[in-house]
Every structure is written in C-alpha cells, then in structure tokens.
Amino acid sequence: MKNFNILCSLLQNGAIPKHIGIIMDGNRRYARRNNMDTREGHARGFSTMMDLCQWALILGVKIITVYAFSIENFKRPKEEVDYLMELANQKFSEMIEKSHKLQKLGVRIRVVGDFSPIPEKTKAILAKAVKATENNTGALLNVCISYTSHEEILHSMRRLSKGVLEDHLITSHDIDKTLFEQCMYIKEDLDILIRTSGEYRLSDFMLWQSTFCNSNFLKVLWPDFSFFHFFYIVFLYQSNYIYLREKINNQLNYSQNIQCNNNPNNSNSNSNSSSNGSEDHNEETLRRKRVETFLQYIKEMDIKTFDEMEHSYPLNT
Amino acid sequence: MIVQFYHSTLIRIKSMISQTLMHLSIRSPTDYVQYIVDKQHQYKNISTSSVPRHLVIILNHDDQIALDTSGKEEILTFYNKLSDIILWSIIVEIPRITIFDNHGSLKHQHFSTFKSILEDKSKIVLNNNNILNWLNLKPNNATVNSNIQPSKKINISIASIDDGKQELINITKKFINENLNNNNYPQIDEKYINSNLPYHLSGDNFEPEVALDFSEKYLFSGFLPWHIKLTEFIKVDYFHQFYLERYLQFLNSYCCIQKRFGK
C-alpha cells in the first residue's frame, strides 16, 4: 500500500494517458502453469482487470477499454464459453449491486460489441449495468464483449449507409473521418495499447483506434499483471511522451497533408472560395445540422437498444 | 534495460561478422543465393511451409524524412538496402511483399528509382528480370483476383497512409452511391469491403501475416487498419545495419509463433 502510494504520486507528476486499451491474454496459460482449472484462471483474470481499473482511476486515466471476449472466442469449447458468460453474469450483477459506489467514483460502464450471439440473460444483465451507470462522467470503462474491430468498422459503415439510404438524415458527402469515428463503438483513439502473454499481434482489437499509439507487449501472463507492470508502462509513456507525441503528430500531419492533396473536393472549394464564400458557409452550416441530428438519432437508437436488451429477459431483483 | 542494450549490441556485432564472412565466401550470384538457402536451413523452424505468405516491411518515418533532405547517393544507399531485404524474401520464397511507407515518399516520389534498383538486382542475382509483379502498376479496372499470378511471380506493392482509413471511408461512400435507388439494398459486409480495396492491397493473402517493423520500438506506425487483424508485429531496429543473419532470426521468430485464432 505504501509502495503503491509512493509510485502513484511519482507518476502523477508526469503526463497521464487519457485512454488505455488492454488485451488481457494469458488466463488459460496461467491456469495450466499453476495446475488450476481454466475457470479459475479466468476468474483471476477478472480480478486483475478490476485492480487495473482501480489503479487507473486513482492515477486519473479517463478511459479504459478491455478486450474481454472476442467474436472468435465463441469457437472455444462450449463449457468454457458458458462459464465465461456465467462469469460475466455474476460480475456484472455485482457491479449493479455496487452501482452506488460506482456513482460515487464517477465510473461509467459501457459494453460494446455485436450482442446477437450472447445469451439473453447475459444481455439483460449487461444492459442493466450500462444503464445503472450511464449518468456517471468521471471515468469510462469500455468492456468489449463479442467484439472484433472488423465488426466495429462494419457497424460504422452500416450506420452511415442506413443514415443516408433509409433515414435520409445525412448525405454521402457528409461522411468524413470524424463522422465515421462517431459511428463506431469506441470513438476515442488510444494513447497506450497493452497486450500481455508475449504475443505481438492485435487479434482484431481496436485496429482503427490504435493506428498511432504507444504499444507495450509484455511477456507476463494477464493474471500476473501487477501495479509494478502498470507503473512501468505509464513511466515509459511519460519518459517517451514528448518524443513520441512529436512523432505521432508528425505522422498525423503528414497523413492529413497527403489526404488533403489527394482529395479533389478540397482543392475545388479552395479555388472557388472567394466567389462562393457565403454559399460554402451556408452549406457547411446545413451539413453540421444534418450531422448533429444524425448523431442524436443514433444516440437515441443505442439507448433504445439497451432498453430492449434489459427487458428481454426477466431478472430477479 | 542494460541487459537488453548489451544483448542487442551483441546481436548487431554477430550480424556484422556474419555479413563480413558472407561477402568473403561469395564469388557469384549463384553463390549468393546458395549461401542464403544454406543459412535458411540452419534454422530448423524456417521451411517453405512455415514462411509467411505475405510479409509487410514497415519503414521508419524518420528514415523517410531524412531522405527528403538527402543527396542522390543516400537515397540510392537506402533503396539498395531495401532491395536486399526484398531479395532475401524472394529467395526464401515469400510470395507477397508489401512495403509500408507512411511518409508517402517511396510511393509518390521514389517509386521508379526503387523499382529500377530492385529489378536490376533481381536480374543479376536471380537471373530473372520478370519475377516481380508490381501491383501498384496495374490498371484501375483490373479485378481483385487478377493479381493472382503464376507461382514464379512475386507480388510486390507499396502502401502509404492514404491507403488506410480514407479507403474504408471511400468504400462506404461507394456502397451508398451504388444503392441510392435500391430500396432493398444488401447489408455491407467483409466480402464487399475486401473486393473493393485498392488493387495493390487486395486479392489473395491481402492480410500480411507478419510485419518486419522498423518504426520506433513503442509506437504503432499507422499501418492500414483493415489489414492487420492477425498480423504479427516484430520490431527490429537499425535499418542500415539489418543484415542477413538478423533477417533470418526475424523469420525464425515468426515461424515459432503459435497462432490460436481465438480458440
């Protein structure tokens, strides 16, 4: 505890990452190494996840995104999948019971992914946990369940297509990188990506949001991940902060310059700007209004989705 | 960190010694190819069945910026080095190679220089100047599967940052414009996206299996988000001191990796 406070106060002197993403890999290998049942490995992994959330909250990290369960993980043995769903039921039910504590801490829980393969009971519990904390604004925990980044990108594309073709709220000219990102499950780019267990791949996790971010691939198995590993990662982030931020900004600037040079619409509007300034301004105002209406609409659709999920299965109160 | 420093220094020294010995033992292009094949066989994990089907080489952004202000000689040195890495990949039978330069200078400015260097070298070393299939040079109306070439061809493409997120946005707009008058439009899916990717980044094995990553150690370099679902990123440093021994160690590291695919 004393070491924790000392290390924490050291870190608070430097830049704090806003958004950390974690691929929590190694639960089953941890269980095998310690001659435990796989289920115990997953339970320990969940416990480590909660510890990480606490450390991050104390440090001032605003968003944590964890890769809890991939769509590909449904290929695992049925027993294991059923256990993981039951573990989610149990742990999220505990969070619902403790929602007053989460409210005090200002922690909001979001669950993101394609919920169609998830059992109805689990969906209802997840939705209830999301709704119980939706007004909290201190920090955000994104839990990726039945998630892949490819599906997330497709989800954004489908939303935008529907917005143009069915709902007629936007036009295809309104679609740009910002709007595309607003339609994704996770809108914020990552500052740090962590993967444990020594693998050096992203496994379809936040491929869009991690394009330019700090990466840390650690050999430690997820249940063994401790505050000292977290401290090391944030310390490394702070040590390289100015250097890497400059690199990231340079690369982002180059990419934006290339896109401006390659986008003919920009060059046309620049050449006509002197004569059509007021028309462009009007068009931009109209575009902004369309986009705001569309974003409000998809926000309402998301709330409706979680309402339906919550009431789709009778839960004992 | 001190241990890591000494370890990496030792690897570099070993690579340089190995490179020197290689130059002493090679008398002809045939010797050069045979030397690489023999070295490859010393690594038991590297075999024809285990080498990646698609390798991406991620260049360091700083190296590319330096080329902007360099003279012709530095530019030639840089692309000679890159050609060596490509040649090694061809000799170990990697059928598809992508070079990622998020700076864009290779794709937009130095492409013809690099192309002529690599073609000259492959003519000398491999006695074949027709082995390279440059996917960036295919016409816009070529279909996605027409880049499948007979096995003697190595597919090679150059990608940059403008091939990434913006292309996915363009594909969304294309889908919308195709279905503006279609009330029963289909659901956009992965198949649609894959078939509408830019020609030089689509087709068989379009997702790289492994990335030879020269970018900064703790930084992701902006590689194409749609393509890296299962790509193994292996960070290496010192591009100008990246010798054959190090390349084979990289390949060996990749061949030892266990893939679970979610299971």
Side-chain angles (χ1 to χ4, degrees):
Chain A
M1 188 65 187
K2 190 178 168 187
N3 290 336
F4 174 85
N5 287 334
I6 292 169
L7 293 175
C8 221
S9 58
L10 276 173
L11 290 178
Q12 276 163 346
N13 287 322
I16 304 295
K18 187 182 163 209
H19 186 182
I20 299 179
I22 303 113
I23 302 174
M24 306 180 294
D25 198 12
N27 292 339
R28 292 183 296 175
R29 275 169 278 175
Y30 174 88
R32 274 197 297 274
R33 194 192 68 195
N34 293 294
N35 296 319
M36 287 174 186
D37 191 79
T38 311
R39 287 176 283 190
E40 181 61 27
H42 287 305
R44 298 274 178 109
F46 182 86
S47 178
T48 305
M49 184 192 93
M50 295 313 295
D51 287 341
L52 172 87
C53 293
Q54 283 189 29
W55 305 327
L57 188 64
I58 292 169
L59 197 57
V61 177
K62 289 296 170 195
I63 309 171
I64 293 274
T65 303
V66 296
Y67 201 7
F69 195 86
S70 163
I71 292 174
E72 302 295 323
N73 292 152
F74 279 107
K75 292 177 193 166
R76 292 187 179 181
K78 187 177 182 303
E79 268 177 20
E80 188 179 343
V81 174
D82 288 346
Y83 171 74
L84 287 167
M85 291 296 128
E86 194 46 48
L87 183 66
N89 292 346
Q90 185 194 334
K91 295 301 179 186
F92 277 88
S93 296
E94 284 174 17
M95 283 192 213
I96 294 165
E97 281 166 24
K98 292 179 187 167
S99 59
H100 56 285
K101 281 190 184 172
L102 292 171
Q103 190 181 14
K104 209 170 162 185
L105 294 167
V107 174
R108 182 182 167 201
I109 294 171
R110 281 182 69 223
V111 181
V112 299
D114 172 17
F115 301 130
S116 49
I118 297 177
E120 292 299 320
K121 182 181 176 187
T122 308
K123 273 199 271 194
I125 294 173
L126 294 176
K128 199 164 178 187
V130 165
K131 289 194 72 66
T133 58
E134 65 186 348
N135 295 320
N136 299 341
T137 55
L140 174 61
L141 171 63
N142 290 317
V143 183
C144 298
I145 292 183
S146 185
Y147 168 95
T148 59
S149 189
H150 271 207
E151 197 276 325
E152 182 182 23
I153 292 171
L154 273 171
H155 171 81
S156 180
M157 289 177 161
R158 286 170 185 159
R159 277 199 151 157
L160 290 164
S161 311
K162 187 172 179 290
V164 177
L165 299 172
E166 272 182 51
D167 304 322
H168 306 293
L169 291 170
I170 50 171
T171 69
S172 74
H173 296 295
D174 295 336
I175 299 171
D176 60 7
K177 183 169 163 289
T178 307
L179 184 56
F180 194 98
E181 289 171 353
Q182 287 296 309
C183 293
M184 297 183 80
Y185 298 138
I186 302 164
K187 300 159 191 19
E188 302 85 0
D189 281 345
L190 277 174
D191 288 312
I192 300 179
L193 173 72
I194 301 169
R195 180 169 188 154
T196 52
S197 87
E199 310 287 2
Y200 287 81
R201 54 183 180 262
L202 293 173
S203 298
D204 220 347
F205 178 66
M206 296 184 81
L207 305 178
W208 184 286
Q209 297 88 337
S210 62
T211 327
F212 292 108
C213 77
N214 293 262
S215 61
N216 291 96
F217 295 99
L218 304 175
K219 290 199 167 106
V220 67
L221 300 176
W222 177 246
D224 284 328
F225 187 85
S226 70
F227 180 74
F228 293 103
H229 295 106
F230 181 67
F231 171 80
Y232 167 71
I233 286 164
V234 177
F235 180 74
L236 209 58
Y237 170 83
Q238 292 179 343
S239 305
N240 294 324
Y241 179 73
I242 295 171
Y243 172 76
L244 286 178
R245 193 104 309 255
E246 193 192 307
K247 292 279 169 267
I248 288 169
N249 287 339
N250 280 345
Q251 291 181 67
L252 281 173
N253 289 338
Y254 268 105
S255 71
Q256 279 160 12
N257 285 341
I258 287 171
Q259 281 165 25
C260 282
N261 290 338
N262 289 344
N263 191 341
N265 292 336
N266 276 351
S267 56
N268 284 343
S269 65
N270 284 341
S271 64
N272 294 333
S273 59
S274 56
S275 53
N276 296 333
S278 58
E279 281 182 27
D280 286 343
H281 179 73
N282 284 341
E283 176 53 36
E284 183 54 34
T285 308
L286 288 170
R287 181 192 170 267
R288 228 178 291 134
K289 278 192 180 156
R290 285 195 299 268
V291 165
E292 271 169 26
T293 308
F294 173 65
L295 291 175
Q296 183 59 30
Y297 171 74
I298 59 175
K299 191 177 170 186
E300 285 163 10
M301 287 292 108
D302 284 343
I303 293 171
K304 191 175 163 193
T305 302
F306 277 99
D307 278 336
E308 285 168 5
M309 270 169 55
E310 189 185 1
H311 296 111
S312 66
Y313 186 92
L315 292 169
N316 295 330
T317 52
Chain B
M1 277 190 191
I2 295 171
V3 169
Q4 271 180 0
F5 170 75
Y6 278 114
H7 185 243
S8 69
T9 309
L10 206 61
I11 289 175
R12 282 167 62 195
I13 293 171
K14 199 179 160 192
S15 291
M16 283 164 68
I17 294 171
S18 174
Q19 190 75 5
T20 311
L21 290 172
M22 179 178 96
H23 284 302
L24 290 172
S25 61
I26 286 166
R27 298 279 180 266
S28 67
T30 316
D31 285 348
Y32 182 69
V33 174
Q34 193 57 47
Y35 182 90
I36 293 171
V37 170
D38 290 343
K39 268 283 175 186
Q40 178 192 349
H41 290 143
Q42 287 177 14
Y43 290 88
K44 293 193 173 60
N45 293 311
I46 306 175
S47 65
T48 313
S49 57
S50 65
V51 291
R53 311 311 299 154
H54 183 175
L55 162 72
V56 63
I57 300 171
I58 300 177
L59 300 178
N60 189 302
H61 187 69
D62 282 345
D63 288 339
Q64 295 303 94
I65 292 176
L67 287 183
D68 279 349
T69 51
S70 297
K72 194 171 178 188
E73 203 159 310
E74 283 92 352
I75 293 174
L76 290 176
T77 306
F78 184 88
Y79 289 120
N80 263 305
K81 182 77 209 172
L82 185 58
S83 323
D84 283 344
I85 299 173
I86 308 282
L87 275 179
W88 300 335
S89 305
I90 294 171
I91 292 167
V92 302
E93 298 181 26
I94 295 175
R96 184 166 179 169
I97 300 161
T98 298
I99 302 162
F100 180 68
D101 156 33
N102 75 11
H103 183 270
S105 56
L106 172 57
K107 189 179 174 195
H108 299 294
Q109 291 167 34
H110 300 143
F111 178 69
S112 51
T113 306
F114 172 62
K115 182 172 176 288
S116 66
I117 291 173
L118 183 54
E119 285 179 347
D120 288 345
K121 275 197 168 178
S122 60
K123 189 176 175 186
I124 295 167
V125 173
L126 304 171
N127 201 25
N128 186 342
N129 63 348
N130 205 25
I131 195 170
L132 299 167
N133 181 28
W134 296 91
L135 299 180
N136 292 74
L137 295 179
K138 286 298 173 191
N140 288 336
N141 58 3
T143 60
V144 72
N145 285 326
S146 63
N147 67 16
I148 299 169
Q149 294 287 332
S151 57
K152 66 176 183 179
K153 293 279 190 180
I154 308 297
N155 288 319
I156 181 163
S157 61
I158 318 285
S160 65
I161 200 79
D162 46 346
D163 293 314
K165 293 180 178 179
Q166 189 57 44
E167 278 303 331
L168 293 171
I169 295 166
N170 293 345
I171 289 171
T172 310
K173 289 184 178 184
K174 181 172 185 259
F175 175 82
I176 289 170
N177 291 335
E178 282 173 0
N179 290 287
L180 276 173
N181 298 316
N182 181 4
N183 290 333
N184 294 320
Y185 64 92
Q187 180 104 288
I188 189 170
D189 57 12
E190 288 206 17
K191 200 174 162 189
Y192 181 88
I193 297 175
N194 295 343
S195 59
N196 282 281
L197 288 169
Y199 180 80
H200 62 292
L201 296 168
S202 60
D204 268 2
N205 300 314
F206 75 93
E207 290 172 329
E209 289 177 15
V210 63
L212 177 60
D213 190 351
F214 288 100
S215 59
E216 277 81 6
K217 189 173 180 196
Y218 296 109
L219 187 66
F220 266 126
S221 51
F223 192 68
L224 320 177
W226 186 256
H227 291 69
I228 54 169
K229 182 168 82 171
L230 295 173
T231 305
E232 301 284 342
F233 286 85
I234 298 181
K235 290 275 185 189
V236 291
D237 46 14
Y238 308 114
F239 176 80
H240 293 285
Q241 292 166 353
F242 188 73
Y243 300 121
L244 175 66
E245 190 74 39
R246 188 71 187 92
Y247 175 80
L248 292 172
Q249 284 167 0
F250 147 78
L251 215 53
N252 190 57
S253 303
Y254 168 73
C255 294
C256 293
I257 291 170
Q258 269 190 330
K259 295 193 182 188
R260 299 189 301 274
F261 301 106
K263 289 186 194 158

